[in-house]
Amino acid sequence: MHALEKEKLPRLSLGEGRNMVTQLVVFNLTVFIFLFFTLVIYKMENVGQARFYQDIMTWLRLPAGAATLLTRPWTLLTSLFTHIGVMHIFTNMVWLWCFGTFLQHIAGYQRILPVYLFGGIIGNLFYVGAVQAIPALHPLISNGNITGAGPAVMAIAAGATLISPRYRIFPLLAGGIPLWVITLVYTGLSVGTSISETAGIAHIFQLAGGALAGMLFMYSWRKGRDLGAGFNRLIFKLTHVFHPASQQIDPDTLKQAIPGADHQPYKRVGVVPEQRLNEILDKISESGIDSLTPEERETLLRASNP
C-alpha cells in the first residue's frame, strides 16, 4: 500500500461536510420512519396492514411484471429508497455507509449519488428482465415485487472495488483488510440469503445488474469519462437556483477546465498540490468566487496554467 494511502485512510464517520453518503443514509432512514409510522397509524385505526400495502406500498415497490411497471415507471427509483423491515434498512444502510465511505474517499462525493441511482435503476431493470425471461420466475409476474437499496449498494461496492481492489482498512490487523475481501463477504451474504427462494433468484439478477452498472460507471470515470457529470451539473443548478450569482459557479465544472485536476489524491496540478486546489474549489462552491483571498486567486491561476 502506498504511503499516502496509509495517511489518507477513510474515516467511517457521519456528519462531515459535503458527505453524500451521510445524506443518502439520512434520506433512506427518513423514508423508513415515515412509512413505519404510517403503518402504525393504519393499525391503530384498524384499517389493517393489507390496506397499507395496497394504498401506499403498491406505488413505491418495484413490480416484477413488465406490464405493471409500464404503468408505474417511477418505482424504478422509489423502490431504491423504500424499506419496511428494521433488519432490511439496517443492513442496507450499514453496507451503504461502509462502501460509500470508501468510494467517496477514493473518487469524491460527486460519484456517490450518480452511481447509487444508475446502479439501482439498472439492477431493477435486470430484476424485471429476469422475471420475464426465466420460466421458473414467471409466477412472480402477477404479484411479485421488490424494495430496497440492494442493487444501488452493490453498484457502489463493485465500483469502489474495481478502481481500488487492494484498498485496505483496519491497518493494525496484519496490514489491513483489502477492499475486495470485504466486497466478497458482502456479495456472499447477499447471495446466500437470496438463493434459497425462487424470488431470491430474481434478486440475485438484480444485484448482478447493479454490480455491472457500478463497474461500468467507475471504469468510464477512470478512463476520463464521467457519466454522472451532466446529472451533477443539473443537481448543482437546482440546489443553487436561489443563491447569489457568485455562488452559482459549479466547482466541478471549473475543475474540468484545469488540466489534470481530476480526483487523484496523489497528484500535483501544475505547481499546486491537488488537495490545496480542492480546498479552494470547495470554498467557491460554499461562498462564491468573490470570497477568495488574493493568495487563493493566485493559486487558482497558477493551477490553470501549469
Side-chain angles (χ1 to χ4, degrees), residues 106-144:
I106 296 168
Y109 73 96
Q110 301 95 338
R111 252 52 64 190
I112 301 301
L113 185 57
V115 173
Y116 184 97
L117 296 179
F118 181 64
I121 291 173
I122 296 300
N124 281 346
L125 290 174
F126 267 61
Y127 169 82
V128 176
V131 171
Q132 316 310 307
I134 301 176
L137 299 179
H138 285 176
L140 296 175
I141 293 178
S142 59
N143 56 9

Side-chain angles (χ1 to χ4, degrees), residues 22-34:
T22 300
Q23 296 179 44
L24 273 176
V25 170
V26 169
F27 185 79
N28 274 282
L29 289 174
T30 301
V31 174
F32 169 76
I33 292 171
F34 171 79

Side-chain angles (χ1 to χ4, degrees), residues 167-187:
Y167 200 90
R168 293 176 180 269
I169 65 169
F170 306 126
L172 296 180
L173 297 177
I177 304 174
L179 180 57
W180 69 266
V181 173
I182 301 174
T183 304
L184 188 63
V185 171
Y186 168 61
T187 303

Side-chain angles (χ1 to χ4, degrees), residues 28 78-83 88-89 92-93 96 116 119-120 124 147-156 186 203 206-207:
N28 274 282
T78 58
S79 63
L80 301 176
F81 301 95
T82 302
H83 303 79
H88 193 201
I89 183 76
N92 274 343
M93 292 305 99
L96 172 60
Y116 184 97
N124 281 346
T147 60
V153 176
M154 183 61 76
I156 291 176
Y186 168 61
H203 181 51
Q206 184 193 36
L207 295 176

